[in-house]
């Protein structure tokens, strides 16, 4: 799984290109622990589930939540952490499963709810890259991301590792052998995805000061992550929307030349997203459609994986090298985003 086609220039690029190896490490580890969690969820189905996360980690949690809701029919809530940390809400813990996602595991507003839920009798799970962190100590079930130290301020490989961890839980819970097999081949799929060149996007967005990033279903969490990376590494005011939501109020902003990046991987949402891209082109927008080769109107190629529910992971793997190159093309250092630090602690 060697990557030699791209010249490594920054820590961000180096780390996003190391994601396939990180995923391979994760998939080789903790197999019994994931199986045990899946068995527990089948034997004693939760009455409610919620995710606890911020930033990129929240986007990864959103992806897992969508898979759980779509595949298992269980509603998942994203917890506003201030309910616990500021409002002292006494949320019922009986039958609850909380799923916390973090890279550093240090933010107090992730640790406090996890500790509260565990003390209240809920099953608490944490996916974290830092062993021995406060979040890892607070949760009952802890799964390492196995991403290795992340030196880039803009998280890449740990985000991808979080997406994979979420999919592993769903595969174990559902007992889906097809999804489990597709996960095992994912590292090779990600190598292919990382090698796809999105140079036209760099040229199209070099002078942009704003854009929409569009997804729907399992690709919406990827759009959310992409919009965040545009902000933090490129200084572009990027907003992520569902392909359905953008047709409401946001449509009023679309004018001649307005840039849109549309993620349209395989799946039930793809046809509508491709149609939306064509409609936006008709309105004069500068549309960058990311879709599998052969998709009408696709300018940016997306790699396919062994299961279409994993395709969004390959999509963000292709996106990261592009946004790193875009930052440099705009005269910025993606390793030093303005006003940001590697670890953010909120209460």
């Amino acid at each position: 799984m060697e990557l030699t086609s791209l010249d490594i220039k920054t820590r961000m690029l180096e780390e996003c290109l190391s994601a396939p190896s990180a995923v391979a490490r994760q998939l080789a580890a903790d197999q019994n622990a994931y199986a045990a969690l899946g068995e527990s969820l089948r034997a004693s189905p939760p009455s409610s589930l919620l995710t606890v996360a911020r930033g990129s980690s929240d986007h990864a949690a959103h992806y897992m939540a969508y898979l759980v809701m779509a595949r298992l029919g269980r509603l998942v809530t994203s917890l506003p952490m201030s309910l616990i940390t500021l409002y002292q809400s006494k949320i019922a813990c009986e039958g609850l499963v909380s799923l916390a996602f973090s890279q550093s595991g240090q933010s107090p507003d992730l640790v406090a709810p996890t500790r509260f839920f565990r003390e209240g009798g809920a099953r608490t799970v944490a996916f974290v890259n830092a062993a021995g962190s406060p979040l890892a100590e607070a949760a009952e079930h802890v799964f390492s991301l196995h991403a290795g130290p992340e030196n880039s301020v803009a998280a890449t490989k740990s985000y991808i590792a979080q997406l994979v961890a979420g999919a592993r839980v769903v595969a174990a819970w559902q007992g889906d052998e097809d999804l489990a097999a597709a996960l095992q081949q994912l590292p090779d799929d990600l190598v292919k995805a990382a090698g796809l060149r999105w140079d036209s996007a760099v040229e199209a967005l070099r002078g942009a000061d704003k854009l929409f990033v569009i997804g729907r279903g399992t690709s919406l969490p990827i759009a959310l992550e992409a919009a965040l990376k545009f902000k933090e590494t490129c200084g572009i005011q990027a907003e992520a929307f569902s392909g359905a939501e953008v047709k409401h109020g946001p449509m009023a902003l679309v004018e001649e030349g307005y840039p849109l990046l549309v993620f349209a991987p395989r799946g039930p949402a793809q046809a509508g997203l491709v149609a939306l891209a064509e409609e936006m082109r008709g309105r004069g927008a500068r549309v960058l459609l990311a879709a599998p080769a052969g998709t009408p109107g696709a300018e940016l190629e997306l790699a396919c994986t062994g299961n279409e529910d994993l395709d969004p992971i390959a999509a963000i793997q292709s996106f990261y090298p592009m946004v790193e190159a875009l930052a440099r093309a705009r005269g910025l250092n993606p390793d030093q985003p303005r006003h940001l630090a590697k670890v953010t602690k909120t209460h």
Side-chain angles (χ1 to χ4, degrees):
M1 296 188 302
E2 293 295 318
L3 291 164
T4 58
S5 60
L6 293 173
D7 184 27
I8 294 176
K9 301 179 184 299
T10 63
R11 290 192 299 274
M12 179 183 176
L13 182 59
E14 182 178 19
E15 294 196 339
C16 79
L17 293 182
S18 74
S21 295
V23 169
R25 285 195 303 273
Q26 186 200 123
L27 290 169
D30 306 319
Q31 294 177 4
N32 291 339
Y34 278 95
L37 179 60
E39 183 177 349
S40 170
L41 292 168
R42 287 194 302 273
S44 181
S47 60
S48 56
L49 298 101
L50 54 79
T51 60
V52 185
R54 288 208 186 280
S56 290
S57 296
D58 191 43
H59 305 153
H62 190 133
Y63 170 75
M64 179 189 181
Y66 204 94
L67 291 183
V68 170
M69 291 187 283
R71 286 172 158 264
L72 292 149
R74 298 277 175 172
L75 291 176
V76 185
T77 301
S78 175
L79 176 74
M81 277 81 87
S82 60
L83 286 175
I84 304 295
T85 61
L86 300 181
Y87 289 85
Q88 307 296 309
S89 302
K90 302 303 180 185
I91 295 175
C93 295
E94 184 178 356
L96 172 68
V97 171
S98 76
L99 303 143
F101 290 77
S102 177
Q103 293 140 35
S104 70
Q106 295 187 43
S107 187
D109 62 353
L110 274 69
V111 176
T114 300
R115 185 177 293 123
F116 170 84
F117 293 133
R118 184 175 183 181
E119 291 174 352
R123 280 175 284 180
T124 54
V125 184
F127 305 94
V128 63
N129 202 35
S133 64
L135 179 61
E137 293 173 356
E140 178 184 5
H141 303 281
V142 181
F143 293 90
S144 172
L145 300 178
H146 296 285
E150 186 147 34
N151 299 310
S152 171
V153 173
T156 55
K157 64 180 180 180
S158 59
Y159 174 73
I160 290 174
Q162 287 176 327
L163 296 175
V164 173
R168 290 182 76 183
V169 171
V170 173
W173 184 358
Q174 197 174 18
D176 188 319
E177 294 182 1
D178 175 72
L179 182 58
L183 279 162
Q184 291 303 315
Q185 75 174 56
L186 189 58
D188 289 336
D189 296 331
L190 293 179
V191 170
K192 177 182 177 183
L196 295 175
R197 300 303 296 260
W198 284 18
D199 297 345
S200 60
V202 175
E203 292 306 311
L205 300 175
R206 184 189 297 265
D209 61 357
K210 59 185 179 297
L211 80 153
F212 288 166
V213 188
I214 310 299
R216 195 173 186 191
T218 54
S219 68
L220 180 56
I222 304 308
L224 290 164
E225 169 65 7
L228 177 62
K229 288 299 184 286
F230 277 127
K231 293 184 186 80
E232 65 183 353
T233 66
C234 299
I236 299 175
Q237 180 63 49
E239 291 189 79
F241 291 102
S242 159
E245 188 65 32
V246 75
K247 289 194 164 191
H248 295 276
M251 184 75 83
L253 295 175
V254 177
E255 57 189 2
E256 187 71 28
Y258 195 102
L260 278 77
L261 171 58
V262 180
F263 285 98
R266 297 177 301 167
Q270 185 188 58
L273 290 165
V274 172
L276 174 68
E278 185 61 25
E279 179 183 346
M280 292 299 99
R281 285 194 181 102
R283 293 174 180 266
R286 173 61 175 102
V287 178
L288 291 159
L289 176 61
T295 303
E299 187 171 345
L300 309 174
E301 183 180 352
L302 292 182
C304 294
T305 67
N307 186 293
E308 64 183 31
D309 280 344
L310 302 181
D311 285 5
I313 305 178
I316 200 67
Q317 176 74 81
S318 297
F319 168 83
Y320 282 143
M322 182 279 290
V323 79
E324 184 273 346
L326 177 62
R328 289 187 287 105
R330 292 166 65 88
L332 299 172
N333 181 353
D335 287 340
Q336 297 178 344
R338 190 168 56 174
H339 307 314
L340 296 179
K342 182 59 193 163
V343 177
T344 303
K345 296 183 179 181
T346 48
H347 295 267

